[in-house]
Amino acid sequence: MTVNRRILLSARPDGLVTEACLERVEEPVPQIGDGEVLVRVLCLSVDPTNRVWMREEDSYLPAIELGAVVRAAGLGEVVESRREGFGSGDLVMGLPGWQDYWKLTADDMGQVVPPGIAVEDLLSIYGATGVTAYFGLLEIGKPQPGETVVVSGAAGGVGSVAGQIARIKEAGRVIGIAGTDEKCRWVVEDLGFDACINYKTEDVATRLRELCPDGIDVYFDNVGGEILDAVLLQINIGARIVMCGAISEYTRAESAGLKNYKELIMQRGRMEGFIILDYVDRFIEAIMELAPWVAEGRIKYAVEVVDGLEHAPDALNRLFTGDHAGKLIVRVAAPSA
Ligand SMILES: NC(=O)c1ccc[n+]([C@@H]2O[C@H](COP(=O)([O-])OP(=O)(O)OC[C@H]3O[C@@H](n4cnc5c(N)ncnc54)[C@H](OP(=O)(O)O)[C@@H]3O)[C@@H](O)[C@H]2O)c1
């Protein structure tokens, strides 16, 4: 291939991402200089945070500049290297963005990953998704045997794994919250949650009262907004709320706000946010513990692969409509070997 297809951000979206916010261009494959690496992108991780980075304001990373390629995590294969430690054919993980070829400069995040692990697994259970569930739940949620753990976004990439880790750590009850009956069935019947609330058809506060008779000790929050507010009403003394994500807020111009935050005072509870990039040095620790759980069938996960870079914007929107199963990945190209 001699052409580099790139999808640039041309305007800030209001709600879902539309073509009006994007410019699709074809450029020559970039030339590299000393200290740089040319990577052919194989797969892109579709993450809610892609949409966060499109907003005007900076987050834990700067906002994507207008005219720049849409930032996204992913994985590719080295085609040419002028940097020590990167050889032709190596698999590299980092932030390639929505394009066919990624010029990895000294300023870019990117590291060689060991061969032998499926690309889909590297971007899901053994990538930021599984590892986020692991550190968020265990470092911040710290579930104790017998406690009640509630997980929102329960059928998603992070939430599905977080709930299963809670089960492994002998939580007394694990309750999911998800957006369809089918997702709720999967979470209960295949993943072993005790119950799952369909937040689109059921009253979350009422159902939480019924399903968590002893109150909530740990809430792994992927969605924020009204669901977080409903959970706050049911927390126990010393509850830990893991602020992993707030997808219900990412496409809103104005925050929904919280009405029930004072419950944190009454119950001496704690809400703590985290960003998985802060745990990069400890990824291997999480992977070493997740791998046997996966091998023993104690953690199951779903990956949906969408073929074609051109579908990246639609794939991103599906995270916000909920129209996907588990971790969503875009396959850009096949590996050469
Ligand atoms: N802190 C970190 O470092 C970190 C790292 C990775 C991910 N995250 C966060 O973790 C969360 C999950 O990420 P993921 O990659 O695993 O995505 P995901 O859960 O696989 O996909 C997002 C899901 O969110 C649900 N959703 C969408 N809009 C919603 C709304 N308004 N209210 C309630 N639920 C809604 C949808 O499921 P339903 O059908 O159930 O609605 C959708 O499938 C996100 O908030 C993400 O930003 C944080």
Side-chain angles (χ1 to χ4, degrees), residues 47-49 129 132 153 156-158 178-179 183 199-200 222-223 227 244-248 250 274-276 319-320 322 324 326:
D47 295 306
T49 197
T129 304
T132 295
V158 174
K183 287 183 181 187
Y199 72 92
K200 290 188 179 162
N222 285 310
V223 307
I227 293 177
C244 176
I247 194 163
S248 73
Y250 298 166
F274 74 105
I275 292 294
I276 197 57
L319 296 179
F320 292 85
H324 66 105

Side-chain angles (χ1 to χ4, degrees), residues 72-93:
L75 201 138
E77 191 177 74
V78 174
V79 286
E80 187 188 350
S81 173
R82 293 177 67 180
R83 178 155 153 200
E84 208 174 314
F86 290 77
S88 231
D90 280 352
L91 275 186
V92 179
M93 190 119 109

Side-chain angles (χ1 to χ4, degrees), residues 65-336:
E65 283 178 27
L66 295 183
V69 73
V70 174
R71 185 190 297 133
L75 201 138
E77 191 177 74
V78 174
V79 286
E80 187 188 350
S81 173
R82 293 177 67 180
R83 178 155 153 200
E84 208 174 314
F86 290 77
S88 231
D90 280 352
L91 275 186
V92 179
M93 190 119 109
L95 293 170
W98 289 357
Q99 56 188 347
D100 287 313
Y101 286 91
W102 171 36
K103 181 160 83 167
L104 178 67
T105 69
D107 297 333
D108 291 326
M109 265 187 251
Q111 64 187 74
V112 174
V113 293
I117 306 173
V119 165
E120 289 79 7
D121 290 348
L122 284 169
L123 288 183
S124 57
I125 187 72
Y126 302 131
T129 304
V131 170
T132 295
Y134 179 90
F135 285 118
L137 186 74
L138 299 182
E139 296 280 313
I140 298 173
K142 294 188 169 70
Q144 302 302 305
E147 287 191 330
T148 296
V149 176
V150 173
V151 181
S152 56
V158 174
S160 60
V161 177
Q164 292 176 89
I165 298 175
R167 182 89 292 161
I168 289 168
K169 294 293 174 182
E170 298 175 357
R173 287 179 82 68
V174 182
I175 307 298
I177 303 175
T180 67
D181 287 346
E182 195 185 343
K183 287 183 181 187
C184 284
R185 247 192 316 278
W186 180 63
V187 156
V188 172
E189 291 173 10
D190 290 2
L191 307 188
F193 287 45
D194 293 287
C196 184
I197 301 168
N198 180 340
Y199 72 92
K200 290 188 179 162
T201 59
E202 299 183 277
D203 183 75
V204 175
T206 306
R207 292 292 286 141
L208 284 173
R209 261 193 305 277
E210 291 164 4
L211 293 168
C212 307
D214 300 326
I216 297 167
D217 301 293
V218 177
Y219 174 46
F220 193 102
D221 187 17
N222 285 310
V223 307
E226 292 84 355
I227 293 177
L228 170 57
D229 231 10
V231 170
L232 280 169
L233 288 174
Q234 316 283 336
I235 57 172
N236 285 336
I237 289 181
R240 286 84 67 202
I241 298 183
V242 184
M243 302 300 294
C244 176
I247 194 163
S248 73
E249 297 274 328
Y250 298 166
T251 51
R252 277 184 196 171
E254 297 266 324
S255 167
L258 287 180
K259 292 200 288 279
N260 301 322
Y261 70 91
K262 69 178 184 310
E263 294 305 320
L264 290 167
I265 307 168
M266 308 309 162
Q267 305 303 334
R268 296 76 139 179
R270 184 161 58 82
M271 279 169 68
E272 186 176 338
F274 74 105
I275 292 294
I276 197 57
L277 292 178
D278 298 339
Y279 290 89
V280 164
D281 293 346
R282 294 179 58 194
F283 267 37
I284 195 68
E285 182 189 320
I287 292 167
M288 295 303 283
E289 195 154 14
L290 287 166
W293 291 338
V294 170
E296 291 159 10
R298 300 174 81 193
I299 289 192
K300 297 178 187 146
Y301 57 99
V303 178
E304 185 182 344
V305 179
V306 172
D307 263 311
L309 172 66
E310 63 279 15
H311 299 304
D314 289 341
L316 178 57
N317 283 337
R318 289 173 60 196
L319 296 179
F320 292 85
T321 58
D323 173 27
H324 66 105
K327 173 70 196 174
L328 201 50
I329 290 174
V330 169
R331 187 187 290 127
V332 178
S336 59

